[in-house]
Amino acid sequence: MAITLIERERYGPALKTVIASLSLMKQMFGSSAENSVKESQSSTEKLKAASARLAKYQSSTQRPCPDTQIESLEDDELGALRAAAIYGPSADVVFPVRISCLCCEDADPSTVARQFSTVLYNHALVCFLLSKQRNENTSGKYITTALWYFELADTTLSSLLGSKNPIEDELPMLLLSMLVLNCLSLVYRKQGLKGKAEETEHLSSITHSEVEEGFFFSDIW
C-alpha cells in the first residue's frame, strides 16, 4: 500500500503507511506470546488505517515533484533491480521496491533482514521525496531522516553480506545494497559531504562487480 501511495505521489500518506509497515514487521518478528493479542488488535487497526488512506488518496492533480520520475520495482524481479541499480544515483528517477511476498516467521533470517531493509529503504525514499517538495525548514528535517534510514538499511545489509554465515538469495540482497548506496551517495552530495559520497560510490562499484559476477554464474547454471 505504501508503494502504491508513492506511485500516486501522495508522499505524506505513504510515509504514515511505511512507518506502520516497520511497526508491523517489528511486531511480527519480535513479539512474545503475552503480547500477541494486544499486538494483533494493533495490527488490525494499522491495516484499516492504511486501507483507508489508500482509498482516500488517489493520483495527484498537480505533481508535488514534477522533476522526479517514480519507477516501482518488485523485489523478486532481479533483471529490473539490476537495471535500476546500474542506473546509478539520480534525483530525477527514484526506485521504490515492493515486497512481492512477505516472509513468514520461520523464514531464513537473511530473508527477514533483507525485507526489513527494503522497508527501511522505502521509508528513507519517501522522506527524500518529501524533502524535495517542502519549504526550507521542513526540507532539512526530511533529508536528515532520509539519511538516517538509508544508513540504517546500509548497516543492516553490510553486516549480513560481510558475515561468514551462508546467505539465502544473496543476489537480491546485493542489488538492494546497490540501490541503498546510490541513494546514500545522492543524499551525501546534497548535504555537501563529498568525501562520504565518493566513498559510498566506491563501495557501490565493488558491489556492482559482485552483482555482475552473480548474474554471470546464474546465467551459466
Side-chain angles (χ1 to χ4, degrees), residues 5-158:
L5 286 165
I6 294 173
E7 291 169 340
R8 293 175 181 175
E9 299 179 278
R10 296 290 190 169
Y11 304 137
L15 181 59
K16 291 180 181 178
T17 305
V18 81
I19 288 171
S21 299
L22 276 174
S23 176
L24 288 171
M25 287 195 80
K26 288 176 183 176
Q27 286 179 17
M28 183 176 176
F29 297 105
S31 61
S32 62
E34 297 121 19
N35 295 329
S36 60
V37 174
K38 185 177 178 180
E39 289 174 352
S40 177
Q41 292 172 343
S42 173
S43 300
T44 301
E45 290 168 4
K46 286 183 173 67
L47 286 168
K48 283 182 179 179
S51 297
R53 280 191 291 272
L54 194 64
K56 179 179 179 181
Y57 295 103
Q58 301 299 320
S59 298
S60 303
T61 53
Q62 183 176 1
R63 297 193 63 199
C65 300
D67 58 339
T68 304
Q69 185 178 343
I70 308 294
E71 295 285 349
S72 299
L73 306 168
E74 300 287 335
D75 67 345
D76 59 352
E77 293 181 355
L78 299 188
L81 285 168
R82 178 192 188 187
I86 292 171
Y87 184 86
S90 170
D92 302 325
V93 185
V94 296
F95 302 99
V97 178
R98 182 180 276 108
I99 297 173
S100 56
C101 182
L102 190 64
C103 58
C104 55
E105 292 183 47
D106 58 351
D108 183 84
S110 64
T111 302
V112 176
R114 175 171 58 83
Q115 293 194 348
F116 187 68
S117 297
T118 302
V119 180
L120 292 173
Y121 164 77
N122 287 327
H123 188 163
L125 207 59
V126 177
C127 289
F128 174 73
L129 289 165
L130 282 166
S131 76
K132 296 183 70 177
Q133 69 172 90
R134 303 287 172 156
N135 61 41
E136 244 179 77
N137 294 330
T138 54
S139 177
K141 178 187 75 172
Y142 281 118
I143 200 67
T144 300
T145 306
L147 179 59
W148 193 86
Y149 277 98
F150 280 135
E151 287 182 334
L152 185 56
D154 177 53
T155 300
T156 304
L157 292 166
S158 297

